Amino acid sequence: AGAEYQHNFAVGRTDRKHADEIFGMSLLISFSAGISIFLIGTFGIDLYLKFLSPDPKIIFYVHEYFTYFKFVLLLSPLSTLLNGMVYNDGDELIANAANFMNIIGNVIFSILFAFYFKMGIVGIALGTVLKEIFSIAILSCHFLKKSNSLGVRLFFSFKDLLRFVKYGFVDSGMFLMWGILMFALNKLVIARFGSFYLPVLSVAFAMIEISVVFDGIGTAIIPLAGVY
């Protein structure tokens, strides 16, 4: 989010050179973030599971799932960045097609690999990786269009990096707090009730996420209803 804001500011000032530098810098940061999260996930998963202390069967399934899911951690920062930049560049069609792939494609691929190819939970993880790859491929099509105004200049500035953090703190902080909450509740459920009830907690989280989507729609409609 911080990179998108900075890029929009530069475009608004008609400083195309700095806008291209911001995009180039944000690409470097997304690659670095993806690699960092990938390494933390790869080498930190055992420590995470040791702290949670779930049943051995769940540990087995987590390791099976993480075989491919760790590559989602690698690709997700780049996918998120490209989606926001392409949308801000006026290509809602490509951005929405990528969002469609992220949701519907994930469901289709996961069902296909899990049940048709009988890969189980590994197939679900593989389907999630493929939706990230296809999403990035769809977003990359924007750079082939004549309407594309996104340019790339290799650039790095600590001053701009601090602005990235400043403007992106709210969004990133929200996801960080959500992750901490999920971790704490998982630990609480396992400690108090056992691993058997973890699926119930997962369903509860899914319902909360769905309700947030509809709450956003309702919030957007309120001022429109007042006008008309």
Side-chain angles (χ1 to χ4, degrees), residues 26 39-40 65 69 84 109 137 139 159 172 185 208 223:
S26 62
L39 293 175
I40 291 172
Y65 183 77
F69 184 77
F109 286 140
L139 292 166
K159 185 177 181 180
S172 59
L185 289 177
I208 291 173

Side-chain angles (χ1 to χ4, degrees), residues 25 30 33 39 43 50 62 70 72 79 84 105 108 110 113 128-129 150 154 160 162-163 170 201-202:
M25 180 177 168
S30 67
L39 293 175
F43 296 105
K50 183 178 180 181
V62 169
K70 59 187 176 183
V72 175
S79 176
I108 294 174
S110 296
F113 286 109
T128 306
V129 175
L150 296 173
L154 294 181
D160 285 314
L162 290 176
R163 287 181 178 144
V170 174
L201 184 60
S202 298

